[in-house]
Amino acid sequence: MSGLFSSSIARKVAMALSALFLVFFLLIHVAVNMLSVFNEELFNTASHFMGTNPLVQFAMQPILMFGVVFHFVMGFVLEIKNKKAQGVKYYKNNGAANSTWMSRNMVYSGAAILFFLILHFKHFWVHEMNVKYINPLPEDPNRYYEELVHVFQSPITVVIYVIGFIFLALHLLHGFQSAFQSMGANNKYTKAIKGFTKAYAIVIPALFAFVALFHHFNH
Amino acid sequence: MNLTLKIWRQKSKDTKGKMVDYKVTDISEHMSFLEMMDVLNEQLVAKDEEPVAFDHDCREGICGMCSMYINGEAHGPDRGITTCQLHMRMFNDGDTITIEPFRASAFPVIKDLVVDRMPFERIQQAGGFISVNTSGNTQDANAIPISKHAADEAMDAATCIGCGACVATCKNSSAMLFVAAKVSQYALLPQGQVEATDRVLNMVKQMDQEGFGNCTNTGACEIECPKGISLENIARMNREYLKASL
């Protein structure tokens, strides 16, 4: 047990667990976002619940923050270790002959998602902290829809968000399925897992992008 | 065919190497890649130049010695083969071919295309074996029932020749496919169960100590492996490791 946390396999499993947690969070996030397309009132109710429920605010949100930070920090630490293990670079290396672009460039798609997340936090989370704790405004359970629509009025913001979602898709196309392999799951269900994770990796970011574009072009 | 070869030349472990261009002419498409290298070396010896050092032994795809990175791929642009099984018909007249040693911090270059793959030996010594009673009471292997499926999977894993193409190919220089094959071949058989916990823990510990990188599941090792060792073995090793650790 003592050597478990310093071993390469334990790091793989830790990355996989945090990844699966974040992947599940994306599903909840996109489900709430999609409500804004169909019903303004329902979206406000769901957002108000997420923004005020103590279990979400003081238990799930800190776990989510930890998951995000852990996944990024561990990802970059492993990348540095792997670069060190690689040593002298090849004069000619034909990576495309045996692996996908997504699998070879997880650190770059991850870094792009990190930049996107900083902007995303600035738009929503920093704003939320401000109106809740720093410069408190009177409680308005119907403010969320207007705030969402307001952010997506800027074409630059929408373009950056869509690019962010494309990188998210590229990251998930390798990462989601890879998490199962790291956890030791490679068996008769692998083909089905690959199909499901590929569909998830395309559909979820596409829905996120759709919400951003929908509010930009409909208001 | 006439070819231009770009070959990594390095006098010793501690000297700096560089790519050097050579021309070879009248190469038959029926030659193996190593035979082409022999032709080059005969030319160099005739000119009183230092021949290119490269590892080779059986020249029939079993020993795993011929560790060359050709045109950006371990063992060159063909599948399921070692360098000695690569034929010149895979190339065209006038081609420029780059030939480099396997690269990894854990596999330092000894000379030219020869690398030190002793880390694999040390990983093997850390647990890649079973202890057998040789006092005269050895059990007949045929008396131990093993399912056909398990026997086939163990045999597939045991075909790993320890060539190091998985490490050379991996962008992280990870040795997990090699270690996973060695762990799997015993994990699948009843004879391997007694030392299963120590085996996986010790072999993974040694792998990490040797300075190999972390697997990120690109799958490149599986594609370039001359024996087609499957990624399923890595998943099995991960399971065995977690079971042994917890």
Side-chain angles (χ1 to χ4, degrees):
Chain A
M1 189 79 185
S2 60
L4 176 63
F5 296 103
S6 59
S7 88
S8 50
I9 292 179
R11 292 193 203 111
K12 268 174 68 125
V13 172
M15 276 300 277
L17 283 172
S18 58
L20 291 176
F21 172 70
L22 296 176
V23 163
F24 179 66
F25 164 73
L26 287 178
L27 186 64
I28 298 170
H29 195 330
V30 82
V32 175
N33 285 17
M34 284 302 288
L35 292 178
S36 72
V37 173
F38 300 111
N39 191 320
E40 180 179 336
E41 212 170 297
L42 210 54
F43 175 73
N44 278 328
T45 309
S47 301
H48 185 66
F49 172 80
M50 289 290 189
T52 52
N53 183 281
L55 188 69
V56 174
Q57 284 296 295
F58 303 112
M60 287 170 72
Q61 193 165 276
I63 294 171
L64 176 65
M65 292 287 185
F66 174 78
V68 170
V69 172
F70 177 85
H71 195 72
F72 277 109
V73 171
M74 189 59 128
F76 287 118
V77 166
L78 289 179
E79 182 67 16
I80 293 164
K81 278 181 175 290
N82 291 340
K83 280 271 173 286
K84 201 178 149 201
Q86 193 187 39
V88 178
K89 278 195 164 190
Y90 285 111
Y91 176 82
K92 185 177 178 182
N93 190 23
N94 188 7
N98 46 45
S99 54
T100 62
W101 184 92
M102 287 79 80
S103 71
R104 295 193 307 277
N105 294 284
M106 289 296 275
V107 72
Y108 299 113
S109 55
I113 294 167
L114 180 61
F115 283 119
F116 162 73
L117 269 186
I118 292 168
L119 188 72
H120 185 52
F121 265 52
K122 183 176 167 287
H123 284 147
F124 292 98
W125 192 76
V126 172
H127 170 75
E128 196 67 14
M129 292 299 111
N130 189 35
V131 298
K132 264 194 205 159
Y133 304 112
I134 302 164
N135 300 303
L137 292 175
E139 184 59 36
D140 176 10
N142 297 316
R143 66 184 164 88
Y144 302 99
Y145 185 83
E146 289 305 319
E147 287 171 0
L148 177 79
V149 169
H150 175 72
V151 167
F152 292 130
Q153 291 319 294
S154 156
I156 296 167
T157 301
V158 173
V159 167
I160 293 172
Y161 268 60
V162 170
I163 292 170
F165 297 137
I166 290 169
F167 276 107
L168 177 65
L170 294 172
H171 200 74
L172 287 175
L173 274 169
H174 173 69
F176 194 4
Q177 185 274 322
S178 175
F180 286 94
Q181 163 78 11
S182 293
M183 301 280 290
N186 190 333
N187 46 41
K188 62 182 173 180
Y189 303 112
T190 298
K191 208 175 164 192
I193 289 172
K194 279 186 179 174
F196 170 71
T197 55
K198 203 171 269 183
Y200 192 100
I202 293 165
V203 171
I204 299 292
L207 289 177
F208 275 120
F210 170 72
V211 171
L213 292 165
F214 178 85
H215 291 299
H216 179 73
F217 289 111
N218 281 284
H219 296 279
Chain B
M1 57 177 84
N2 300 327
L3 302 162
T4 302
L5 307 175
K6 282 183 173 297
I7 304 179
W8 181 261
R9 302 302 310 261
Q10 186 173 334
K11 279 191 175 146
S12 68
K13 195 173 177 177
D14 304 317
T15 54
K16 220 176 154 191
K18 61 175 181 181
M19 298 299 284
V20 178
D21 289 4
Y22 297 97
K23 299 265 184 207
V24 283
T25 53
D26 295 329
I27 297 295
S28 162
E29 63 175 14
H30 303 300
M31 281 182 180
S32 77
F33 200 84
L34 294 189
E35 285 167 339
M36 184 276 294
M37 292 296 290
D38 292 337
V39 170
L40 169 71
N41 276 346
E42 280 171 12
Q43 282 179 19
L44 292 174
V45 170
K47 284 194 280 181
D48 211 21
E49 288 180 33
E50 181 79 9
V52 178
F54 61 91
D55 264 329
H56 61 106
D57 192 2
C58 73
R59 297 205 176 199
E60 55 183 3
I62 294 297
C63 73
M65 286 301 286
C66 42
S67 54
M68 290 184 198
Y69 210 74
I70 302 158
N71 277 354
E73 288 184 74
H75 300 140
D78 205 352
R79 294 287 171 261
I81 55 152
T82 51
T83 304
C84 60
Q85 295 171 303
L86 176 67
H87 282 81
M88 296 313 295
R89 67 181 78 100
M90 292 296 294
F91 302 93
N92 298 311
D93 184 35
D95 275 3
T96 298
I97 305 173
T98 60
I99 309 167
E100 300 174 75
F102 281 0
R103 295 289 190 197
S105 294
F107 285 171
V109 172
I110 297 170
K111 187 176 181 181
D112 296 336
L113 304 173
V114 180
V115 297
D116 180 3
R117 282 170 284 179
M118 275 306 283
F120 270 15
E121 302 300 323
R122 289 190 287 269
I123 292 170
Q124 190 76 340
Q125 286 163 13
F129 52 82
I130 56 165
S131 302
V132 176
N133 182 348
T134 54
S135 63
N137 298 317
T138 312
Q139 189 176 3
D140 182 349
N142 291 325
I144 305 169
I146 300 168
S147 76
K148 174 80 167 66
H149 183 66
D152 285 350
E153 281 199 309
M155 192 60 212
D156 285 347
T159 56
C160 168
I161 53 176
C163 64
C166 46
V167 174
T169 297
C170 178
K171 74 180 191 67
N172 310 319
S173 300
S174 169
M176 282 212 185
L177 193 67
F178 165 75
V179 182
K182 300 302 171 193
V183 166
S184 285
Q185 75 183 62
Y186 297 116
L188 287 157
L189 300 176
Q191 291 95 326
Q193 300 311 308
V194 180
E195 292 148 309
T197 303
D198 288 344
R199 176 180 304 112
V200 69
L201 293 177
N202 291 339
M203 290 183 84
V204 170
K205 189 179 171 191
Q206 188 64 38
M207 173 183 79
D208 289 343
Q209 280 175 0
E210 297 289 352
F212 292 106
N214 292 271
C215 171
T216 50
N217 306 321
T218 66
C221 53
E222 182 185 50
I223 304 288
E224 296 292 347
C225 175
K227 300 299 165 189
I229 303 292
S230 164
L231 279 187
E232 283 176 34
N233 292 296
I234 298 184
R236 182 180 297 107
M237 176 175 69
N238 294 348
R239 291 197 299 274
E240 288 286 318
Y241 186 83
L242 290 173
K243 201 166 71 182
S245 302
L246 299 172

